[in-house]
Amino acid sequence: MATRQGNTIRFEQVCAVESSCSLGGKKESEGPCAGQFDLLNKDNYFGQKTWEQAESRMQQLVLQRAVQQAEGPPEVLFAGDLINQCISSAYAHSESGFPFCGLYGACSTMGEGLLMGAIALESGGAQRAAVVTSSHFCTAERQYRSPLHYGSQRAPTAQWTATAAGAVVLSKRGAGPRLVRGRIGQIVDFGITDMTNMGAAMAPAAYETLTGFFTDTGATPEEYDAIVTGDLGKEGSAILEELFDRDGVNLKTRHHDCGLWIYDLQKQDVHAGGSGCGCSASLFCAIVLPKLRSGEWKRVLFLPTGALMNTLSLQQGLSIPAIAHLSEWVGGEEKA
Amino acid sequence: MATRQGNTIRFEQVCAVESSCSLGGKKESEGPCAGQFDLLNKDNYFGQKTWEQAESRMQQLVLQRAVQQAEGPPEVLFAGDLINQCISSAYAHSESGFPFCGLYGACSTMGEGLLMGAIALESGGAQRAAVVTSSHFCTAERQYRSPLHYGSQRAPTAQWTATAAGAVVLSKRGAGPRLVRGRIGQIVDFGITDMTNMGAAMAPAAYETLTGFFTDTGATPEEYDAIVTGDLGKEGSAILEELFDRDGVNLKTRHHDCGLWIYDLQKQDVHAGGSGCGCSASLFCAIVLPKLRSGEWKRVLFLPTGALMNTLSLQQGLSIPAIAHLSEWVGGEEKA
């Protein structure tokens, strides 16, 4: 049975990655992580008629591949995405037959799902749990911002929603990387109202979750080979590192951000970096897990961040609430 | 540790309702359940400037009341709603400080949250978990259908989104009604494309979850004092009962539907009944839990249903996927 240190949960059962799959679209296949994705497709329609159906197809592709490589089917599936009423997830899995839990955590969804999966395994309610999430530049852009053919100007702090997806199968057996501790985030609202600067809204949530984790556990950044945030991008990453600097803690030397990994910021004209549920989900599968499997990294913190506003709440003058869900991972051979 | 029978989870730890709170708005305070709500408010703005903020306020009100009556604060909060990106939940709890998990299950959200709460308790990751959800006629109407001042005609099969909220605090201690078994639903899509007939889209999901539960466990409808669906309304309830009739199973005599409880269909001009996350959530707290506490009911199945489309997916010609999450409840003194 799991135990708690403050708001941090320590899992006692094995929660190991049995299989995973990452997928990227056109722009992602032209970026610096192209060689790491399991699947790449330069057709952003993924053979479908609409972008929304393409995003559902992306979730199917990564989940099917991950499940094929697992030792059995998941007994519960956690899924979510950015699109209104999470339709990318619902339509993707309407014929899967898997018990389905819909999540909404914006770009933190993979972090939330991994924790829900670990909790489900620890409870005995499932022996195997899957987590999948996605984002698609075209579905997000027209929903959150403006029709794509407007070709509206992008702010320098704006991030580029990744066309990407990731799926993980967690199991109580197996020698893969293990989730050993986790911290479900609290919602933090620092009063940011600029929807073209999500990084600034999300950085305080990452700070809150990370400092809470360090306080609860007595752990320090030095114990980790990498501390990987979701998609703070250039702006948010600088803010997070500065917040730690003020506390006299050097986060910079081991801090990575999926939003900075996924694109070449200059060459690919993506301004402050990548974002979207699929950004951190795909790179967790494409970069973090392989480094844990190979032993290059032995201990990692992974904390995707999410901005929890919608277009209406910003039109109504409200600021952007944000959240970050943290999971601690060790390589298959490492001590928990 | 929980055990499984097929896709049904049997909880071994106590998962008891420590406290709960239900809230209704103006129309709900004029309906047949008015006397059962813990809180009623005839001002559908709940003192706020926008309907969306009113819905957030409703979540705050029920959660605060439930937490005040619990023996301690929740260690995790599960919340969700119908509004794009679940903003009613995010803005409601941005200052609560509770570890927050956002869910999206449309009108099934309370069912999903209760199961997540039970799983969290069983895992040891939390000793106390809260679940809260809401819906608001005005926020839903303008998002899903048309601006309210259009006064557009409503189809006879249409349901009325309830302005209501419910919150439950689950605990490993206490003598309140207990959640003993649960079944996370699968997504079911029977090809219904009529967005004014959600009941027809959701009835097959309720049927799928219920028949799966009966098959897994060997239980029969006769063992229950009540089988309470979320908000199938008049149309969906008739379909569900007919599906069981065809199997030679009489569900009618013990089947209740929150969408039929909440309004007087004739006098209140609500056509096929109530709907919305808040409908089943508030009546679970206002009717089901009190009857379990008093001993009038000893054993109950509660299964809210959700329709997982959005307006865009219907415009794109897709049908409506649906889901139903089931929990089995016994009175505080009953054997699990």
Side-chain angles (χ1 to χ4, degrees), chain A residues 253-268:
Chain A
T253 49
R254 42 186 47 78
H255 176 225
H256 302 265
D257 185 73
C258 298
L260 293 176
W261 271 342
I262 195 163
Y263 302 120
D264 183 315
L265 269 56
Q266 267 67 51
K267 285 191 199 155
Q268 293 191 281

Side-chain angles (χ1 to χ4, degrees), chain B residues 15-97:
Chain B
C15 172
V17 173
E18 199 167 81
S19 61
S20 63
C21 182
S22 60
L23 174 154
K26 181 168 185 298
K27 201 174 190 85
E28 295 68 30
S29 68
E30 296 161 353
C33 301
Q36 272 74 55
F37 284 102
D38 296 306
L39 302 171
L40 283 173
N41 194 330
K42 293 205 175 193
D43 167 21
N44 276 351
Y45 277 101
F46 288 83
Q48 305 299 305
K49 284 185 188 168
T50 68
W51 291 320
E52 287 73 20
Q53 287 166 50
E55 194 180 330
S56 289
R57 183 70 189 137
M58 290 163 60
Q59 285 205 18
Q60 290 175 346
L61 288 168
V62 287
L63 184 66
Q64 282 167 2
R65 170 73 76 98
V67 169
Q68 278 163 9
Q69 295 180 347
E71 286 174 37
E75 293 177 330
V76 57
L77 171 62
F78 296 96
D81 58 90
L82 289 173
I83 302 310
N84 296 344
Q85 287 69 56
C86 301
I87 54 162
S88 311
S89 305
Y91 286 96
H93 310 296
S94 67
E95 290 173 9
S96 73

Side-chain angles (χ1 to χ4, degrees), chain A residues 26-60:
Chain A
K26 182 169 185 297
K27 202 175 189 88
E28 296 66 33
S29 69
E30 296 160 354
C33 300
Q36 272 72 56
F37 283 102
D38 297 305
L39 302 172
L40 283 173
N41 194 331
K42 294 205 175 191
D43 166 20
N44 276 350
Y45 277 102
F46 289 82
Q48 305 299 306
K49 285 185 188 167
T50 69
W51 290 321
E52 288 72 21
Q53 287 166 49
E55 193 179 329
S56 290
R57 184 68 190 139
M58 291 163 61
Q59 286 205 17
Q60 289 174 348

Side-chain angles (χ1 to χ4, degrees), chain A residues 15-245:
Chain A
C15 172
V17 173
E18 200 167 79
S19 61
S20 63
C21 183
S22 61
L23 174 154
K26 182 169 185 297
K27 202 175 189 88
E28 296 66 33
S29 69
E30 296 160 354
C33 300
Q36 272 72 56
F37 283 102
D38 297 305
L39 302 172
L40 283 173
N41 194 331
K42 294 205 175 191
D43 166 20
N44 276 350
Y45 277 102
F46 289 82
Q48 305 299 306
K49 285 185 188 167
T50 69
W51 290 321
E52 288 72 21
Q53 287 166 49
E55 193 179 329
S56 290
R57 184 68 190 139
M58 291 163 61
Q59 286 205 17
Q60 289 174 348
L61 288 169
V62 287
L63 183 66
Q64 282 167 2
R65 169 75 75 102
V67 169
Q68 277 162 9
Q69 295 179 349
E71 287 175 37
E75 294 177 330
V76 58
L77 171 62
F78 296 96
D81 59 89
L82 290 172
I83 302 309
N84 296 343
Q85 286 71 55
C86 301
I87 54 161
S88 311
S89 306
Y91 285 95
H93 310 296
S94 67
E95 288 174 9
S96 73
F98 299 135
F100 178 90
C101 283
L103 302 181
Y104 186 75
C107 305
S108 76
T109 300
M110 181 49 86
E112 182 181 348
L114 291 169
L115 292 176
M116 289 300 105
I119 288 169
L121 261 52
E122 184 86 24
S123 75
Q127 299 297 309
R128 187 174 285 111
V131 190
V132 61
T133 180
S134 61
S135 53
H136 191 300
F137 177 75
C138 301
T139 62
E141 198 67 13
R142 69 171 167 187
Q143 176 181 283
Y144 284 110
R145 289 166 280 263
S146 58
L148 281 152
H149 49 273
Y150 276 21
S152 63
Q153 286 272 344
R154 297 170 60 79
T157 53
Q159 292 172 245
W160 185 279
T161 306
T163 301
V168 173
V169 176
L170 300 169
S171 161
K172 294 177 91 156
R173 294 191 282 177
R178 279 171 297 137
L179 197 171
V180 291
R181 288 191 287 200
R183 190 179 168 89
I184 298 168
Q186 301 168 21
I187 302 178
V188 169
D189 190 335
F190 262 48
I192 308 289
T193 55
D194 179 2
M195 75 173 289
T196 68
N197 194 351
M198 296 293 176
M202 296 191 292
Y207 176 76
E208 161 73 28
T209 296
L210 264 177
T211 52
F213 174 78
F214 290 138
T215 304
D216 283 348
T217 61
T220 62
E222 292 71 34
E223 296 172 31
Y224 297 91
D225 297 302
I227 295 170
V228 182
T229 50
D231 35 13
L232 297 176
K234 199 173 158 184
E235 195 78 7
S237 290
I239 295 171
L240 177 65
E241 290 168 8
E242 193 185 320
L243 288 168
F244 273 98
D245 273 347

Side-chain angles (χ1 to χ4, degrees), chain A residues 1-2 4 13 52 82 84-85 91 94 97 100 102 104 112 116 123 125 143 185-187 310 313 316 319 325, chain B residues 1-2 4 13 52 82 84-85 91 94 97 100 102 104 112 123 125 143 185-187 310 313 316 319 325:
Chain A
M1 189 171 288
R4 289 177 71 96
Q13 304 281 320
E52 288 72 21
L82 290 172
N84 296 343
Q85 286 71 55
Y91 285 95
S94 67
F100 178 90
Y104 186 75
E112 182 181 348
M116 289 300 105
S123 75
Q143 176 181 283
Q186 301 168 21
I187 302 178
N310 73 6
S313 70
Q316 291 176 347
S319 51
H325 298 292
Chain B
M1 187 169 291
R4 289 176 70 96
Q13 305 280 321
E52 287 73 20
L82 289 173
N84 296 344
Q85 287 69 56
Y91 286 96
S94 67
F100 178 90
Y104 185 74
E112 182 181 348
S123 76
Q143 175 181 283
Q186 302 168 20
I187 303 178
N310 74 4
S313 69
Q316 291 176 346
S319 51
H325 298 292

